[in-house]
Amino acid sequence: MLLVDTLNKKIEEDEDLKYRIATTRPYKKLTHNRVYLDQIRKDDVLSHGAITNEYIIKKHLQSQGVLDTRIERRAKTPTNRKRDLVLHSDRRLMLFSFTPDTFSIILVPMISEKKEALGSMGNDAALACLSEYSPLLSNYFQQLFAQVTNPPIDPFREQIVMSLRCPIGPESNLLDPDQELDSRLLLDQPVLSLVDLEILKRTSYKRWSSKTIDIVYPHRHGAKGLLPALDRICSEACAAALDGYQIIILSDRNVDKDMIPVASILALGAVHQCLIKQPSS
């Protein structure tokens, strides 16, 4: 890289140019107050003890009545067999367009072999706007063509130029980063485990607090209940922000035969627009 400075009539070499830019502002000092998820994990273990994904799943199944603790205790005896939990028998999966093929072709290879399922190039499925079925809202934002990138989008082999790290929270002006805001949480990747989500729910690190908002509404309200549900979700999110909550969690865990979820991408977009339009206090 070379810089031809016509004003000062000189040429800056690559190392000199990068050094000048790197020393323009105290970047190390500006990033000193960033919060990383590892710090919150350590604080949570000291405060509440360690938990596992299996424990959270078991606790949730028991609260939903899917796993009976009495059956589980009897299953420990040789004369009884533990009741099998068949995934595709859970009717809640239909709400999120999960099918048996989704598990056998996509999810099982990812879990057992730790790699994505192989498939042919291209996709002959109908566009969401032309589909005769009821596709998820997120399907309307998917691209259905194959495109090669150079360098490849690979956070492991191309970590110099590509990263999955996700900052959460208010950000400073990129064009004038003189002061980094304190309330920035950096995640190593956009997908959180159940343990990490539980940690964020109950965190008190640096006096942070979280607010969980249900994004479900009664099935009996039908399609007409969607807009009131979105208004309620946005109102609760804005109220939580004004009350000083640093983390807002949108949850559809309470879905059942009487409660149906608002599409996550729709609820998230509505809350985002509501928060950025809300005047700061």
Side-chain angles (χ1 to χ4, degrees):
M1 181 185 299
L2 291 175
L3 174 64
V4 179
D5 189 344
T6 58
L7 183 61
N8 297 319
K9 298 181 180 180
K10 67 176 184 178
I11 297 177
E12 278 193 272
E13 298 289 343
D14 182 72
E15 292 184 2
D16 296 334
L17 176 60
K18 291 179 179 178
Y19 179 79
R20 181 170 62 83
I21 295 176
T23 56
T24 302
R25 294 182 175 88
Y27 291 104
K28 186 175 182 179
K29 181 179 179 181
L30 293 176
T31 60
H32 177 71
N33 292 325
R34 287 181 178 177
V35 178
Y36 295 87
L37 189 56
D38 285 340
Q39 297 170 321
I40 298 181
R41 288 195 192 104
K42 294 177 182 178
D43 181 76
D44 184 82
V45 170
L46 294 175
S47 302
H48 303 92
I51 56 176
T52 62
N53 287 321
E54 291 76 12
Y55 170 79
I56 296 175
I57 294 174
K58 181 179 177 181
K59 184 178 179 181
H60 178 69
L61 291 177
Q62 290 176 352
S63 65
Q64 295 291 324
V66 179
L67 183 63
D68 193 338
T69 55
R70 293 173 300 176
I71 293 178
E72 185 182 7
R73 286 196 296 267
R74 291 199 303 267
K76 295 180 180 179
T77 62
T79 57
N80 292 282
R81 297 180 60 187
K82 190 173 182 179
R83 182 179 64 176
D84 292 331
L85 298 176
V86 183
L87 287 173
H88 58 74
S89 66
D90 191 342
R91 298 182 62 184
R92 294 174 300 174
L93 297 176
M94 298 175 60
L95 291 173
F96 305 98
S97 293
F98 282 103
T99 64
D101 289 341
T102 305
F103 290 101
S104 61
I105 299 176
I106 300 177
L107 295 181
V108 170
M110 293 178 67
I111 296 173
S112 60
E113 303 177 15
K114 297 183 179 180
K115 65 179 183 180
E116 293 188 19
L118 298 178
S120 60
M121 297 289 288
N123 190 334
D124 60 354
L127 296 173
C129 58
L130 302 177
S131 176
E132 296 179 356
Y133 302 97
S134 299
L136 292 176
L137 183 62
S138 58
N139 291 350
Y140 288 85
F141 302 94
Q142 292 179 351
Q143 62 180 29
L144 298 180
F145 68 94
Q147 179 173 331
V148 178
T149 62
N150 189 15
I153 302 176
D154 189 337
F156 303 104
R157 301 180 185 87
E158 304 292 338
Q159 57 182 338
I160 296 179
V161 295
M162 196 269 174
S163 173
L164 291 179
R165 178 172 289 180
C166 299
I168 298 178
E171 60 184 5
S172 57
N173 187 354
L174 293 177
L175 301 179
D176 188 21
D178 289 331
Q179 183 177 1
E180 177 75 12
L181 298 178
D182 292 342
S183 52
R184 293 281 280 174
L185 173 63
L186 290 182
L187 305 179
D188 293 332
Q189 59 178 348
V191 180
L192 292 174
S193 66
L194 295 177
V195 171
D196 289 339
L197 185 59
E198 189 68 21
I199 289 174
L200 290 179
K201 285 182 179 180
R202 64 189 190 186
T203 184
S204 58
Y205 184 79
K206 285 192 173 182
R207 297 183 179 179
W208 281 24
S209 57
S210 66
K211 175 73 172 180
T212 301
I213 299 176
D214 281 331
I215 58 172
V216 297
Y217 66 97
H219 174 267
R220 66 178 184 275
H221 292 173
K224 294 182 179 180
L226 178 60
L227 289 180
L230 282 174
D231 291 338
R232 188 260 307 167
I233 294 169
C234 291
S235 298
E236 291 185 15
C238 291
L242 292 175
D243 290 340
Y245 288 95
Q246 287 78 14
I247 301 174
I248 297 176
I249 300 172
L250 305 180
S251 174
D252 54 14
R253 288 292 181 86
N254 291 329
V255 62
D256 56 25
K257 64 179 181 179
D258 299 320
M259 305 294 289
I260 56 178
V262 176
S264 298
I265 189 173
L266 181 60
L268 181 62
V271 168
H272 174 70
Q273 292 297 321
C274 177
L275 291 177
I276 62 177
K277 292 178 181 178
Q278 175 178 276
S280 58
S281 57

